[in-house]
Amino acid sequence: MKKTIYLLSIILLSVLQSHATKQIVSVANFSFTPSSFTINLGDTVEWDLASGSHTASSLTIPVGAVVWSAPINSSTPTFIYVPAVAGTYNYQCNIHTFMQGSFTVVGCTPPSGQVSASGATTVCKPLSATLNCNATSGAAFQWQKNGVNITTNGNGSSYNATATGSYRVKLTNNCGSTFITNAISVTVNAQPASTITPAGPTTYCKGTTPLTLTANSGAFTYKWKKGTAFISGATAINYQPTATGTYKVEVTNANGCTKLSPGIAVTVNMLPAATITPQGPTTFCAGDHVILEANSGAGLTYQWKKGANNINGATLQTLTATQAGIYKVIVTNSGGCTKTSGGTTVTINCREAVEPPAAEPFLELYPNPASQNINLNFETLDESAQLEIRNITGQLMMQKQIASDDGNFETSLDVSNLPNGIYIMLVKTESGITSKRFVKQ
């Protein structure tokens, strides 16, 4: 039984020694175990009875220390002594004077320290607030958040606070003395969401309806970027890009926290050129022709038009025009962007290119021959038109622009200054050309 109690005392002694706050001395078998040891000032010594009847009595102790003599027996099996002076303490059992022990008390200064921030204590994620603790040498650090130990990376003199809370440090010296520092409040605000939603395809043609990019809504402010540069004045929730590039939006919330959205890539394809170059005179006699040539370019495709209608199968760069009319070409580039050229007028002046049906005359011209004025009567003119008078060689002698009219339209031209001869009256509209021959005499 005595051996068991002794072993338990030794185990208990080892455990308590690891905390460096109390030293246990087992009293048994006419010995103090351990017989000598060193403790820190402020620690305690506890004698525990294992067997027999003994005393623990001071012999030589440091000046100013409190002497003691205490029985260690079945009636008083424990005695505790707290040294208040550093130095060496010798003691014995007054019953068994050969039982002697000693211990040494070393001085120990309580720890102290101060926590400070090396920057702002209000930050936005993913940033953190850097806190530092300036403590007495040799102290161990234990950071705490809201009074709870921070077990991860919380044992150094610096700590990066990534969450809102009150931060302090518990300092412990090698004597086991502790000190709680001042606390610093840290606020870590969340970032806003930052996304871009395009209202349509991000590849489109310049000159068409522009693409609208929309940032996520909320109590935010916005700054749009193209590439690495902010776009001057682009601070609304929406933005319409006009050029190819990578667009982002920086969203800022009420706490001043910002987040930059991912890259939306926008491609704005340019419109192709669309021009017509006649390869000869555009005024000629019936049975002749003129070759109309569109501009060339890599990857261009073509669709020719006469008036308002596409010409079936006319998809080459050139078109052989044999009929009077206004010709245009639609040019499409490799990006799918199209542009329509201006109109090129082809005139046939040796004979009437279009003869309206007798039952429904489009144009009535009188008197014919005429000497002073010539009157024109249009039936249901529903589009604007240009009147031209040309001589038999195709030379333009007179022209006049007239507006559209849903009903009958009449006008008069003064031809008194024209030399006597045969002339052709041309009426040009988007739908085609109508001609009438008259004589000036």
Side-chain angles (χ1 to χ4, degrees):
M1 178 68 179
K2 291 181 179 178
K3 186 175 181 180
T4 301
I5 295 175
Y6 175 74
L7 290 175
L8 289 174
S9 300
I10 295 298
I11 294 172
L12 180 61
L13 174 63
S14 300
V15 172
L16 293 176
Q17 281 180 326
S18 67
H19 292 278
T21 58
K22 180 187 291 186
Q23 176 65 56
I24 303 297
V25 178
S26 178
V27 183
N29 297 328
F30 308 109
S31 64
F32 297 105
T33 305
S35 60
S36 64
F37 52 86
T38 300
I39 61 174
N40 295 309
L41 189 65
D43 289 349
T44 62
V45 180
E46 180 179 310
W47 286 267
D48 291 342
L49 178 66
S51 64
S53 179
H54 310 278
T55 71
S57 305
S58 59
L59 289 175
T60 59
I61 61 177
V63 176
V66 177
V67 298
W68 77 92
S69 181
I72 309 295
N73 53 41
S74 58
S75 298
T76 55
T78 299
F79 171 68
I80 294 176
Y81 179 76
V82 181
V85 180
T88 300
Y89 293 73
N90 296 294
Y91 66 95
Q92 69 177 8
C93 171
N94 288 338
I95 299 174
H96 312 96
T97 58
F98 57 87
M99 288 179 60
Q100 295 186 354
S102 67
F103 58 88
T104 301
V105 178
V106 296
C108 190
T109 304
S112 63
Q114 180 79 14
V115 173
S116 61
S118 61
T121 56
T122 298
V123 296
C124 299
K125 287 185 177 181
L127 300 179
S128 59
T130 300
L131 306 178
N132 301 301
C133 181
N134 183 13
T136 53
S137 177
F141 298 84
Q142 176 59 66
W143 287 86
Q144 297 180 338
K145 175 190 169 191
N146 300 331
V148 178
N149 289 349
I150 302 171
T151 57
T152 303
N153 300 325
N155 298 320
S157 60
S158 295
Y159 185 77
N160 292 325
T162 60
T164 297
S166 177
Y167 292 84
R168 67 185 186 183
V169 176
K170 178 182 179 181
L171 297 171
T172 305
N173 64 12
N174 55 6
C175 302
S177 299
T178 61
F179 176 80
I180 302 296
T181 68
N182 61 303
I184 290 185
S185 294
V186 172
T187 301
V188 181
N189 291 316
Q191 285 183 309
S194 183
T195 60
I196 297 176
T197 302
T202 56
T203 297
Y204 60 98
C205 299
K206 189 177 182 67
T208 60
T209 302
L211 170 69
T212 297
L213 302 178
T214 302
N216 50 295
S217 62
F220 305 132
T221 59
Y222 306 92
K223 291 176 67 177
W224 290 87
K225 295 182 75 173
K226 179 177 180 286
T228 58
F230 284 105
I231 304 169
S232 178
T235 57
I237 190 173
N238 298 318
Y239 182 73
Q240 292 182 331
T242 59
T244 296
T246 300
Y247 292 84
K248 301 178 182 180
V249 65
E250 182 184 83
V251 179
T252 303
N253 62 18
N255 292 321
C257 297
T258 64
K259 187 175 182 180
L260 194 63
S261 71
I264 294 288
V266 173
T267 302
V268 182
N269 291 321
M270 301 301 293
L271 298 180
T275 60
I276 297 175
T277 303
Q279 303 301 300
T282 57
T283 299
F284 48 83
C285 295
D288 205 346
H289 69 273
V290 63
I291 295 176
L292 305 179
E293 183 176 74
N295 52 291
S296 62
L300 297 181
T301 59
Y302 308 91
Q303 174 61 60
W304 290 88
K305 299 178 65 175
K306 180 175 178 287
N309 302 313
N310 289 344
I311 303 174
N312 188 34
T315 57
L316 300 178
Q317 183 186 351
T318 60
L319 175 73
T320 301
T322 60
Q323 298 179 2
I326 299 176
Y327 291 85
K328 297 180 181 180
V329 65
I330 302 173
V331 181
T332 304
N333 61 19
S334 57
C337 299
T338 63
K339 186 175 182 180
T340 301
S341 70
T344 296
T345 301
V346 172
T347 302
I348 298 177
N349 67 351
C350 296
R351 63 179 64 177
E352 298 181 37
V354 178
E355 189 66 39
E360 295 183 15
F362 174 75
L363 170 64
E364 182 181 6
L365 184 150
Y366 62 93
N368 189 6
S371 59
Q372 295 293 327
N373 295 317
I374 189 167
N375 299 310
L376 293 91
N377 180 28
F378 304 92
E379 290 188 6
T380 60
L381 181 64
D382 57 0
E383 55 184 318
S384 60
Q386 179 173 293
L387 302 181
E388 293 182 1
I389 296 178
R390 295 180 178 269
N391 62 20
I392 198 65
T393 64
Q395 181 182 5
L396 179 64
M397 305 300 293
M398 184 181 300
Q399 65 180 9
K400 181 179 180 179
Q401 192 75 22
I402 58 175
S404 63
D405 192 347
D406 292 334
N408 291 342
F409 188 90
E410 294 185 2
T411 189
S412 177
L413 295 177
D414 184 2
V415 296
S416 60
N417 292 329
L418 293 178
N420 293 339
I422 299 174
Y423 294 90
I424 298 175
M425 175 73 71
L426 299 173
V427 180
K428 296 182 177 180
T429 66
E430 282 289 325
S431 301
I433 301 175
T434 301
S435 63
K436 284 286 187 178
R437 185 176 297 181
F438 72 96
V439 177
K440 165 61 171 51
Q441 64 180 14

